[in-house]
Amino acid sequence: MAEPRLDDVFGDDITVPARDGYPLAATLFLPRGAKRHAVLVNSATAVPRKLYRGFASYLARRGCAVLTYDYRGTGDSTPQALTGHSQPKSLVGFKASMSDWAAQDVTAAVAWMRERYKALPFAYVGHSFGGQALGLLPNNSEISRALLIAAQAGYWKLMTAPERYRVYALLNFVGAPLTRVLGYMPGKAGLGMDLPKDAFLQWVSWVMSPRYLFDDARLDAVQNFPKYKGALRALCMSDDPWATPPAVELLCSGFTSIEPEIITVTPAETGVSKIGHMGFFRPEHRDTLWRGAAEWIRAGE
């Protein structure tokens, strides 16, 4: 993906402390003109924040203060080695689960943005896991609008074939054994990014459960789903093998205090041949999907 131009947007790499003080690498995008909205962009599993750079700068050009960040143990929030220049430390022994990402990292990012831009309408953008995390946050009532992009309850049987069988094999026959032996999930085994052991194994347990994270008896944070009472729009891409309509609907069913709006988008509608699970954030959607997202966010004025 080509790097977007930032000559009309301020982009500043910063550090945001998680609830327990862990430093999260982040980038704050600011418009050169007046700020009218605050937007937090929350990443998918094993996806670095740089994927969202183009979309974040697009929103900033339209008057939004936008924060992107990496969860602990991923991207630039990986612990650094004591020797060498900016060399990441091994994730062996690094403690971080997906529920930690929600409770410690996402919760803190929401609080940071709400405190910094308390006078502005606050929108939450969640891609895949980033959308799932919304329901787990103790402070999700601070958010007025949430746009979920390819966010789903990711039970493997709700994926399309043959992708569901590839995922089942990758997680159970490759990922889980490797993770238990090595002490972390190596990205080169199929995910593209190294993941902490606990995060990956928790994800595997959710993917293997018919109701995904709702089946996790140890995940008390699911009680926070009904606390969200803002506007919610969930975008479902018709050619996404992961976030299929039933999977998106299952996730949205957890938000019992509201009536989520689920919209299915086809590639033909946007003039492209495919979108899939990751394609929303490609610059080719600047005048279609991105514009629609920005208009929906700004409707909260």
Side-chain angles (χ1 to χ4, degrees):
M1 181 183 299
E3 285 293 311
R5 292 178 58 191
L6 295 177
D7 52 355
D8 56 350
V9 172
F10 293 105
D12 190 16
D13 289 333
I14 61 174
T15 299
V16 172
R19 291 182 73 191
D20 60 357
Y22 186 89
L24 302 175
T27 303
L28 183 63
F29 300 85
L30 298 174
R32 292 188 180 272
K35 295 182 286 292
R36 297 187 295 272
H37 292 266
V39 180
L40 177 66
V41 178
N42 305 272
S43 307
T45 303
V47 176
R49 74 186 191 281
K50 65 182 180 182
L51 176 76
Y52 310 102
R53 183 178 178 87
F55 180 63
S57 62
Y58 176 89
L59 293 179
R61 290 187 184 96
R62 281 146 186 81
C64 300
V66 186
L67 184 74
T68 64
Y69 64 105
D70 291 323
Y71 308 129
R72 65 185 63 201
T74 71
D76 294 329
S77 293
T78 300
Q80 299 298 300
L82 297 177
T83 59
H85 179 66
S86 299
Q87 293 297 313
K89 184 179 179 181
S90 170
L91 287 176
V92 175
F94 184 79
K95 298 296 183 181
S97 64
M98 296 185 82
S99 52
D100 289 335
W101 288 347
Q104 300 293 342
D105 303 349
V106 187
T107 300
V110 167
W112 191 90
M113 287 293 282
R114 184 69 290 180
E115 175 62 26
R116 191 177 185 95
Y117 301 107
K118 58 182 65 177
L120 300 180
F122 183 29
Y124 180 106
V125 175
H127 180 208
S128 197
F129 171 76
Q132 300 162 19
L134 173 67
L136 302 176
L137 308 181
N139 59 348
N140 59 23
S141 61
E142 297 291 324
I143 300 160
S144 56
R145 297 177 79 76
L147 178 64
L148 307 190
I149 299 168
Q152 81 287 28
Y155 176 46
W156 73 277
K157 286 188 178 180
L158 294 181
M159 300 176 188
T160 60
E163 180 67 3
R164 68 175 66 159
Y165 304 114
R166 187 192 73 83
V167 169
Y168 185 92
L170 171 64
L171 298 190
N172 290 285
F173 304 143
V174 179
L178 269 180
T179 299
R180 292 189 175 97
V181 170
L182 299 178
Y184 73 101
M185 171 58 178
K188 61 184 179 182
L191 291 180
M193 177 191 289
D194 294 350
L195 288 179
K197 175 182 178 180
D198 293 344
F200 180 76
L201 294 180
Q202 185 176 45
W203 185 42
V204 172
S205 71
W206 290 352
V207 172
M208 294 302 119
S209 301
R211 298 186 68 248
Y212 195 59
L213 54 73
F214 296 115
D215 280 340
D216 190 341
R218 297 171 296 178
L219 189 64
D220 293 337
V222 296
Q223 300 173 6
N224 294 324
F225 269 81
K227 292 182 180 179
Y228 181 71
K229 298 179 180 179
L232 191 154
R233 171 176 284 187
L235 297 185
C236 175
M237 314 308 162
S238 65
D239 63 334
D240 184 347
W242 288 50
T244 59
V248 173
E249 291 167 5
L250 178 55
L251 177 67
C252 287
S253 71
F255 296 98
T256 54
S257 296
I258 59 173
E259 293 186 11
E261 176 189 21
I262 301 176
I263 297 177
T264 299
V265 179
T266 66
E269 290 177 288
T270 61
V272 298
S273 60
K274 62 180 180 179
I275 303 175
H277 195 60
M278 310 292 288
F280 176 95
F281 298 98
R282 295 186 181 278
E284 64 198 61
H285 299 301
R286 187 182 312 274
D287 297 324
T288 53
L289 296 178
W290 290 10
R291 176 182 294 177
E295 291 174 351
W296 187 82
I297 288 171
R298 292 179 61 180
E301 293 180 356

